[in-house]
């Protein structure tokens, strides 16, 4: 990859195969983008399992989006280091990825795509028996090349920009002791993933960081049911009175990176960020 344009004809066509092997949509897209950028990372990708099914199977934004955003963040860090520019590149790439996905699916939410409540055994059985799961496999196969193209071209088009960007998700990761790369990786989660106002990106960052810590201690196994990430979700829901949508929690739908930065700089969600980082 030595230009600003990605030839989609060269994109991988093994999405179904990868999904069958890795078993979660979030890990599948994180792996496929990492692989295409030339930097697969089993630990990071396995930790992304917890974002499948719309954040611990809660039905919010599709896990493919979270996984792709993480991979875009990793590439942004490799190119631009631990900088505000890298954070901006990550969120802009995330927005491009989300736009492409929504054009195809008309929604970004897992439950609307799968028509399944993964927390309900009967609903999950219906999802499998009806064959609806095949749609997710087809999506990984057919959309992954477009996700890669959007991520690559968005990152490659970056121009110098010295203005500040504060990501709520990156702030949580920093307070939780994440390293510089991980802080950039979650930057695109800000404002409900790509400033979309959907399910809280700071929450997802905390859940993923806890999953990553668990994966460092436990080789090979999926962290999907790890108690640390589940505890983060439970305490978050108690703290917010079961609100999980960013725009409902903040009362704002952020229309720009600058608006989100100013909100966080002025103390917006400060208590929530501290609460998440202490879990």
């Amino acid at each position: 990859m030595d230009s600003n344009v990605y030839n989609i004809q060269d994109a991988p066509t093994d999405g179904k195969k990868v999904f069958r092997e890795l078993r979660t949509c979030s890990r599948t897209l994180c792996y496929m983008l990492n692989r295409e950028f030339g930097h697969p990372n089993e630990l990071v990708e396995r930790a992304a399992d917890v974002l499948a099914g719309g954040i611990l199977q809660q039905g919010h934004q599709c896990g493919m989006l979270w996984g792709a955003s993480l991979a875009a963040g990793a590439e942004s860090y490799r190119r631009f280091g631990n900088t505000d520019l890298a954070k901006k590149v990550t969120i802009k790439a995330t927005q491009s990825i989300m736009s492409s996905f929504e054009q195809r699916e008309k929604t970004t939410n897992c439950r609307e795509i799968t028509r399944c409540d993964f927390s309900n055994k009967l609903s999950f059985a219906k999802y499998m028996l009806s064959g609806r799961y095949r749609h997710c496999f087809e999506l990984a196969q057919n959309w992954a090349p477009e996700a890669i193209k959007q991520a690559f071209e968005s990152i490659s088009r970056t121009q110098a920009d010295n203005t500040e960007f504060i990501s709520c998700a990156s702030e949580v990761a920093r307070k939780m002791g994440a390293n510089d790369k991980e802080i950039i990786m979650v930057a695109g989660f800000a404002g409900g993933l790509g400033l979309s106002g959907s399910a809280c990106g700071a929450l997802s960052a905390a859940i993923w960081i806890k999953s990553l810590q668990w994966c460092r201690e436990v080789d090979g196994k999926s962290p999907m049911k790890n108690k640390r990430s589940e505890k983060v979700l439970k305490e978050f829901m108690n703290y917010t009175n079961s609100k999980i949508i960013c725009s409902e929690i903040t009362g704002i739908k952020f229309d720009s990176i600058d608006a989100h930065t100013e909100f966080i700089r002025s103390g917006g969600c400060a208590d929530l960020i501290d609460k998440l980082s202490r879990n």
Side-chain angles (χ1 to χ4, degrees):
M1 295 186 186
D2 56 2
S3 73
N4 291 345
V5 178
Y6 181 79
N7 185 358
I8 203 164
Q9 302 302 319
D10 296 331
T13 57
D14 60 346
K16 290 181 184 178
K17 179 177 181 291
V18 173
F19 201 157
R20 290 190 187 98
E21 291 175 353
L22 300 184
R23 301 178 67 86
T24 67
C25 57
S26 46
R27 185 176 180 182
T28 294
L29 264 291
C30 190
Y31 167 80
M32 292 185 75
L33 267 72
N34 277 345
R35 182 182 64 181
E36 196 68 5
F37 282 124
H39 295 275
N41 187 323
E42 188 273 342
L43 187 69
V44 160
E45 294 150 11
R46 181 160 52 98
D49 275 357
V50 293
L51 301 174
I55 313 171
L56 283 176
Q57 301 184 320
Q58 295 296 300
H60 298 287
Q61 299 98 302
C62 175
M64 295 187 195
L65 295 170
W66 299 103
S69 180
L70 283 171
E75 181 65 10
S76 296
Y77 176 79
R78 283 189 289 270
R79 296 198 193 189
F80 306 107
N82 183 31
T83 63
D84 283 329
L85 178 59
K87 294 175 188 175
K88 288 183 177 182
V89 171
T90 303
I91 202 159
K92 288 178 179 178
T94 299
Q95 289 173 328
S96 295
I97 290 165
M98 292 181 72
S99 177
S100 166
F101 186 93
E102 192 161 18
Q103 285 178 23
R104 177 181 288 271
E105 291 298 303
K106 312 306 178 189
T107 181
T108 59
N109 276 5
C110 171
R111 193 162 297 174
E112 294 174 18
I113 296 166
T114 62
R115 304 167 196 166
C116 178
D117 176 358
F118 287 104
S119 66
N120 183 295
K121 291 182 179 180
L122 183 60
S123 181
F124 179 70
K126 184 178 179 181
Y127 168 73
M128 296 301 294
L129 292 172
S130 69
R132 183 64 183 172
Y133 70 89
R134 294 191 187 94
H135 180 76
C136 296
F137 280 78
E138 293 288 344
L139 187 55
Q141 180 88 2
N142 297 327
W143 177 69
E146 182 65 20
I148 294 167
K149 175 181 171 67
Q150 292 297 327
F152 174 76
E153 293 187 354
S154 181
I155 293 169
S156 298
R157 287 194 300 264
T158 297
Q159 297 180 348
D161 183 349
N162 295 323
T163 59
E164 184 181 24
F165 173 43
I166 306 175
S167 163
C168 57
S170 293
E171 287 301 293
V172 167
R174 180 181 63 81
K175 286 175 174 287
M176 293 178 73
N179 63 34
D180 291 346
K181 181 179 179 181
E182 293 154 7
I183 289 169
I184 300 300
M185 286 179 70
V186 300
F189 291 6
L193 190 62
L195 304 182
S196 67
S198 299
C200 179
L203 168 66
S204 291
I207 285 173
W208 180 71
I209 292 294
K210 285 295 185 183
S211 174
L212 191 59
Q213 293 169 353
W214 185 92
C215 286
R216 288 191 176 107
E217 298 171 13
V218 182
D219 290 336
K221 294 184 179 180
S222 172
M224 179 62 83
K225 299 295 184 181
N226 85 85
K227 299 299 183 183
R228 300 176 194 177
S229 294
E230 290 180 341
K231 180 175 180 284
V232 170
L233 176 62
K234 181 179 179 180
E235 295 194 0
F236 173 92
M237 297 298 274
N238 287 337
Y239 184 79
T240 63
N241 294 317
S242 296
K243 289 181 180 179
I244 194 170
I245 304 301
C246 170
S247 59
E248 294 179 0
I249 295 169
T250 63
I252 298 173
K253 178 72 178 292
F254 301 106
D255 60 4
S256 69
I257 287 174
D258 290 342
H260 184 270
T261 296
E262 183 56 33
F263 177 79
I264 300 299
R265 183 194 290 121
S266 300
C269 287
D271 290 344
L272 180 58
I273 289 170
D274 285 344
K275 175 69 175 177
L276 284 167
S277 64
R278 289 197 302 269
N279 275 315

